[in-house]
Amino acid sequence: ANSRAYSLVDSSQVSTFLISILLIVYGSFRSLNMDFENQDKEKDNSSAAGSFNGNSTNNSIQTIDSTQALFLPIGASVSLLVMFFFFDSVQVVFTICTAVLATIAFAFLLLPMCQYLTRPCSPQNKISFGCCGRFTAAELLSFSLSVMLVLIWVLTGHWLLMDALAMGLCVAMIAFVRLPSLKVSCLLLSGLLIYDVFWVFFSAYIFNSNVMVKVATQPADNPLDVLSRKLHLGPNVGRDVPRLSLPGKLVFPSSTGSHFSMLGIGDIVMPGLLLCFVLRYDNYKKQANSDSCGAPGPGNISGRMQKVSYFHCTLIGYFVGLLTATVASRIHRAAQPALLYLVPFTLLPLLTMAYLKGDLRRMWSEPFHSKSSSSRFLEV
């Protein structure tokens, strides 16, 4: 959800638009690249082990099924209530867990840059760290930089460092989580739309406070300050560190510095998962058409319509949805559930285009199932 300060269309909103779209595009292409790499490894394993087909390359990828899609909004609601009622009790644990996850996610975000930097200097051999595993020089460099950034964020609490960590979380979640079909996508996004609308618009009638906004904007005690008080290190040790605004959102200051624009990472990740799904389907369909010697689409659909990709259509819908949410927050001058606008503007154009192209039945259930074993695309 957007914060109460998210009411003016200025440079902060423009920054939010651009960064969220770049994160979705980058995360989607990282996800697609991971699919290609995993399939290449599976082909190498198959050729080395005969008919054995290992699945170890897919262990890090989580596919959401229908049951998980239905219960995810319920789990999110329970977590929101825990944070609302018991924030003072769990804030330190939640801050530490968030920092650890943000460290790993930001290391993943930095990994391509570190691979580019270390490639001319050292071979890509993995270095063993005993029970911790084996890592390349690029992985060690990206992790070290990520740890350094998290430590600086804990010491300073600067919004720009928090944004960097939130960006890493967005990209990692889009890259490592999969929606297997349009059916699961509709279940997940529809449930989260109801979740977002209820906790932004109706929670105040039950809890006498906007639960979503309060949890999203409430700062947490700095773990260094808590540690100094627990260990009785003295009145001046750890007391200068600021309270932390947790990286569950992107914030950008306005040009005047009078307010911040805010967008929750859920409003980026959840539509981003849909965009990642349609990008994979676009590439799957392109490969299938090339394998079938460029078979044309349905005769009642123009060639221009066939050339429009689902990814571009959905991405434009996401931008229009963000713009509509901004205009609505300006008109009502109150917090708006962004998914109320993002879900219809992404799902409805996608469903319409899939119906017109004749792909709706295929995309609805098992769209990546292929009888051909030579396909370059994974079955996910």
Side-chain angles (χ1 to χ4, degrees):
N2 302 322
S3 71
R4 58 183 176 83
Y6 193 70
S7 57
L8 299 175
V9 181
D10 57 13
S11 59
S12 60
Q13 274 74 38
V14 174
S15 300
T16 304
F17 287 177
L18 295 178
I19 294 298
S20 61
I21 289 174
L22 288 175
L23 290 175
I24 288 176
V25 172
Y26 180 67
S28 299
F29 278 94
R30 285 290 297 271
S31 174
L32 190 64
N33 186 62
M34 288 172 60
D35 283 353
F36 291 157
E37 291 177 352
N38 286 340
Q39 185 165 4
D40 290 339
K41 290 179 181 178
E42 286 185 350
K43 288 181 178 179
D44 293 340
N45 292 337
S46 298
S47 60
S51 60
F52 175 77
N53 186 16
N55 293 322
S56 59
T57 55
N58 288 327
N59 289 341
S60 60
I61 296 175
Q62 175 65 44
T63 301
I64 298 178
D65 57 26
S66 299
T67 303
Q68 292 170 331
L70 287 173
F71 281 96
L72 194 148
I74 299 175
S77 298
V78 173
S79 300
L80 197 65
L81 284 176
V82 170
M83 293 298 295
F84 180 73
F85 286 112
F86 307 105
F87 184 80
D88 292 338
S89 302
V90 302
Q91 59 177 320
V92 176
V93 175
F94 189 74
T95 302
I96 294 174
C97 293
T98 303
V100 172
L101 291 175
T103 302
I104 299 172
F106 194 73
F108 175 75
L109 181 66
L110 292 177
L111 184 57
M113 180 191 72
C114 294
Q115 289 174 335
Y116 177 80
L117 293 176
T118 59
R119 186 177 294 111
C121 304
S122 64
Q124 297 301 307
N125 297 327
K126 292 191 175 183
I127 304 171
S128 176
F129 281 83
C131 60
C132 296
R134 299 172 60 85
F135 306 94
T136 64
E139 292 170 342
L140 295 175
L141 177 60
S142 65
F143 184 75
S144 300
L145 293 175
S146 181
V147 170
M148 187 182 305
L149 183 136
V150 170
L151 290 177
I152 297 174
W153 167 67
V154 170
L155 292 173
T156 63
H158 198 278
W159 66 268
L160 191 59
L161 301 178
M162 185 196 70
D163 277 1
L165 298 177
M167 292 176 193
L169 287 171
C170 288
V171 172
M173 292 176 69
I174 293 174
F176 284 100
V177 180
R178 298 285 190 275
L179 293 176
S181 66
L182 191 55
K183 174 185 175 181
V184 176
S185 303
C186 291
L187 287 175
L188 178 64
L189 291 176
S190 299
L192 289 173
L193 184 152
I194 298 172
Y195 156 86
D196 211 13
V197 169
F198 174 79
W199 290 111
V200 174
F201 284 156
F202 301 105
S203 61
Y205 296 104
I206 302 175
F207 303 99
N208 296 320
S209 178
N210 191 317
V211 176
M212 180 74 77
V213 173
K214 184 175 180 179
V215 171
T217 58
Q218 190 168 4
D221 288 338
N222 196 298
L224 296 180
D225 184 21
V226 175
L227 184 63
S228 67
R229 285 190 273 112
K230 293 290 184 181
L231 300 179
H232 305 288
L233 298 179
N236 297 323
V237 179
R239 300 301 170 89
D240 294 332
V241 293
R243 301 192 75 191
L244 299 176
S245 183
L246 301 181
K249 54 192 173 293
L250 291 179
V251 296
F252 291 94
S254 64
S255 56
T256 60
S258 60
H259 67 275
F260 278 80
S261 166
M262 186 179 79
L263 185 69
I265 64 172
D267 301 326
I268 301 173
V269 171
M270 296 308 163
L273 294 179
L274 178 66
L275 280 145
C276 179
F277 164 74
V278 296
L279 177 64
R280 286 161 41 231
Y281 185 81
D282 281 333
N283 281 270
Y284 171 85
K285 187 177 179 182
K286 182 179 179 181
Q287 179 70 20
N289 288 340
S290 63
D291 291 343
S292 60
C293 301
N300 59 335
I301 303 299
S302 65
R304 181 173 299 179
M305 172 66 78
Q306 288 293 336
K307 291 180 181 179
V308 177
S309 69
Y310 293 112
F311 181 76
H312 291 146
C313 174
T314 312
L315 186 62
I316 293 173
Y318 178 80
F319 175 79
V320 175
L322 270 184
L323 184 61
T324 306
T326 304
V327 173
S329 66
R330 181 186 179 188
I331 294 174
H332 298 286
R333 297 194 178 276
Q336 294 293 306
L339 291 180
L340 175 62
Y341 308 95
L342 295 176
V343 171
F345 277 101
T346 52
L347 271 183
L348 293 181
L350 173 60
L351 291 170
T352 302
M353 178 173 284
Y355 175 77
L356 293 176
K357 286 189 173 185
D359 293 331
L360 183 57
R361 185 186 297 267
R362 180 65 181 271
M363 294 178 71
W364 189 255
S365 178
E366 297 184 356
F368 303 106
H369 179 72
S370 177
K371 297 180 180 180
S372 173
S373 61
S374 62
S375 174
R376 179 170 171 77
F377 292 84
L378 288 174
E379 179 182 335
V380 292

